[in-house]
Amino acid sequence: MKGWLPTILRGMLLLVLIAFLVAPESFEPLLKPLVQPGAPVIYNQGSLLDLTILHLRTVFIATLVATVVAVFLAILVTRPFGLEFLPLSRSLVNIGQTFPPVAVLALAVPAVGFGEKPTLIALFLYGLLPIFENTLTALTNLPRSVMEAARGAGMTGFQRLVQVELPLSLPVVVAGIRLSTVISLSTATIGSTVAARTLGEVIIAGLQSNNLAFVLQGGLIVGALAVLIYDGLVAVEAILTRRVHSI
């Protein structure tokens, strides 16, 4: 029973989240004590479902591009011809951690304008480091016996990469993607300060109108998404790990 409890709780959280996004007015009695008399209880300046979808889309695009770039750089610097680029690559992926996301947004707006683009740039830069470091660690700590067996079988460098190195590294790479995604989910809320359509709109509207219910709605949706996506990627990581150990 104990083993099933976390799964049951996650399922309940998912059902509550879906119910709230589809019919938020049903939860009005629970949130009404948090607002002043006459103030709206449920966010009324847009659809919570639409904002959630747009929020997830922004995070997905930024994480996908960050994954492609970070994995490519990690592969590059673990090849004999690319070792000299390791310091440069580390400097590039650390840019997002050097500057706060707000500073990146401020620098990006003059170049690309307001909206989703500066948010994507900030999330992309912020998401590079965990994916790059995890991929680099995985590729440089592969079992020596497996690599020697692959060379002994006559595999080319590209064949070893595609058929041996990347499959064995996948669990650790997914762990980096998991961390990057969770960071981006929360960080994306600040994109609304530069007119990006994210759940940050709900939080900002609540702060501007002193409406705690709005703030709670935006924060809880982002928190629920982070928990569910984190757990989903943990499950994927566990499946990949079992497959690697069975090889």
Side-chain angles (χ1 to χ4, degrees), residues 192-205:
S192 293
T193 60
V194 291
R197 300 298 310 278
T198 73
L199 288 164
E201 280 188 23
V202 187
I203 298 172
I204 292 172

Side-chain angles (χ1 to χ4, degrees), residues 150 154-161:
M155 286 186 174
T156 64
F158 181 76
Q159 288 174 327
R160 289 197 302 272
L161 173 66

Side-chain angles (χ1 to χ4, degrees), residues 4-245:
W4 285 99
L5 185 58
T7 303
I8 294 172
L9 292 175
R10 293 184 196 106
M12 291 174 61
L13 177 61
L14 177 60
L15 290 175
V16 171
L17 177 61
I18 293 173
F20 183 73
L21 293 176
V22 173
E25 63 278 357
S26 302
F27 293 79
E28 188 169 332
L30 294 174
L31 297 169
K32 196 168 186 178
L34 300 175
V35 301
Q36 299 174 354
V41 178
I42 303 299
Y43 183 69
N44 58 358
Q45 299 173 30
S47 166
L48 288 172
L49 178 60
D50 289 344
L51 285 175
T52 301
I53 292 172
L54 290 172
H55 190 104
L56 288 173
R57 185 190 71 174
T58 300
V59 171
F60 174 78
I61 294 172
T63 304
L64 177 62
V65 177
T67 299
V68 172
V69 173
V71 171
F72 172 79
L73 286 176
I75 292 172
L76 174 66
V77 299
T78 53
R79 305 305 100 178
F81 60 83
L83 286 174
E84 61 184 287
F85 296 105
L86 179 57
L88 175 60
S89 297
R90 276 222 162 95
S91 298
L92 289 174
V93 300
N94 273 290
I95 289 177
Q97 307 296 324
T98 304
F99 296 98
V102 175
V104 177
L105 287 175
L107 294 171
V109 165
V112 298
F114 287 89
E116 186 180 34
K117 291 180 181 179
T119 306
L120 287 172
I121 293 173
L123 296 183
F124 163 73
L125 292 176
Y126 223 58
L128 281 173
L129 182 61
I131 303 174
F132 174 81
E133 289 295 344
N134 273 42
T135 307
L136 183 63
T137 299
L139 290 174
T140 53
N141 289 279
L142 294 170
R144 182 173 297 179
S145 59
V146 175
M147 297 305 298
E148 289 177 353
R151 291 189 185 93
M155 286 186 174
T156 64
F158 181 76
Q159 288 174 327
R160 289 197 302 272
L161 173 66
V162 175
Q163 299 179 29
V164 179
E165 295 181 53
L166 289 179
L168 291 176
S169 301
L170 268 180
V172 182
V173 175
V174 170
I177 295 172
R178 167 167 49 86
L179 179 58
S180 178
T181 303
V182 172
I183 291 173
S184 293
L185 275 168
S186 57
T187 307
T189 55
I190 66 170
S192 293
T193 60
V194 291
R197 300 298 310 278
T198 73
L199 288 164
E201 280 188 23
V202 187
I203 298 172
I204 292 172
L207 293 173
Q208 290 176 337
S209 61
N210 195 28
N211 189 319
L212 182 57
F214 283 8
V215 177
L216 194 62
Q217 288 164 56
L220 287 179
I221 293 172
V222 172
L225 289 172
V227 169
L228 291 170
I229 292 174
Y230 180 93
D231 285 348
L233 290 174
V234 165
V236 171
E237 185 182 341
I239 293 171
L240 292 172
T241 300
R242 285 196 295 270
R243 288 184 178 178
V244 167
H245 289 163

